Amino acid sequence: MEDSKITIIEGPTPTFEVVYDTWANGIVDGSSLASVAVTRLRTANGHKLVERCYRAWNRKDPIHLEFRGNDGLPQEVPIVAAQAAETDEGDVLLLWVRLSENDLVIDFVYEDDEDFDDFDDYDDDDFDDDDDYDDGEIGF
């Protein structure tokens, strides 16, 4: 049925950000581990896509987001919430989806606003050769 999925037909693979709000725990309650993640998609008809989600949920039917993964293969994830928003760049569709533990890939990104270069401050004279350590043993 056409109303059972929203398909991304062009553009990059969507990025999903895991939601850590307490309301998200109630949505993914079940027998398997899962998380709620949000993705933001540019669209020309965000309000119509939200209506499609509401119609499916009113019928108590699931609705899925279909997209091509980074490997080029089609993937689907269940949509648990939807919202359309208007921005200066155009319409945006916010979709909250249920990701199982197998779908989760965690990227660790360290961002530091300050520009430190610890190696510029290193001075060989700070350490003398006559220290209290013998052959790799550490003394306390």
Side-chain angles (χ1 to χ4, degrees):
M1 178 178 278
E2 180 184 318
D3 286 348
S4 67
K5 63 177 80 169
I6 293 174
T7 303
I8 299 174
I9 54 174
E10 63 181 46
T13 301
T15 56
F16 299 97
E17 299 171 27
V18 175
V19 176
Y20 294 104
D21 291 333
T22 53
W23 67 267
N25 293 332
I27 292 176
V28 296
D29 191 22
S31 60
S32 63
L33 292 176
S35 294
V36 172
V38 65
T39 188
R40 293 160 186 84
L41 308 170
R42 292 186 317 167
T43 183
N45 54 356
H47 295 288
K48 288 182 182 180
L49 296 172
V50 170
E51 281 297 319
R52 183 185 296 179
C53 292
Y54 289 154
R55 282 194 309 268
W57 294 326
N58 280 335
R59 292 189 312 264
K60 307 235 187 286
D61 291 337
I63 186 162
H64 293 84
L65 174 64
E66 181 182 48
F67 58 94
R68 295 226 179 257
N70 290 329
D71 55 4
L73 298 175
Q75 297 182 5
E76 285 188 11
V77 290
I79 300 170
V80 296
Q83 179 181 5
E86 296 176 11
T87 67
D88 294 337
E89 293 83 29
D91 288 350
V92 174
L93 181 64
L94 299 164
L95 295 177
W96 287 265
V97 299
R98 184 181 195 275
L99 296 178
S100 70
E101 63 180 298
N102 296 333
D103 295 329
L104 292 175
V105 175
I106 299 173
D107 289 334
F108 292 100
V109 177
Y110 176 75
E111 294 180 15
D112 192 357
D113 293 338
E114 297 182 31
D115 187 24
F116 287 111
D117 191 1
D118 293 335
F119 295 110
D120 287 344
D121 296 333
Y122 178 73
D123 187 9
D124 288 334
D125 295 334
D126 290 341
F127 301 97
D128 56 18
D129 292 334
D130 298 328
D131 55 10
D132 295 333
Y133 305 114
D134 296 321
D135 299 326
E137 296 178 3
I138 299 175
F140 293 102

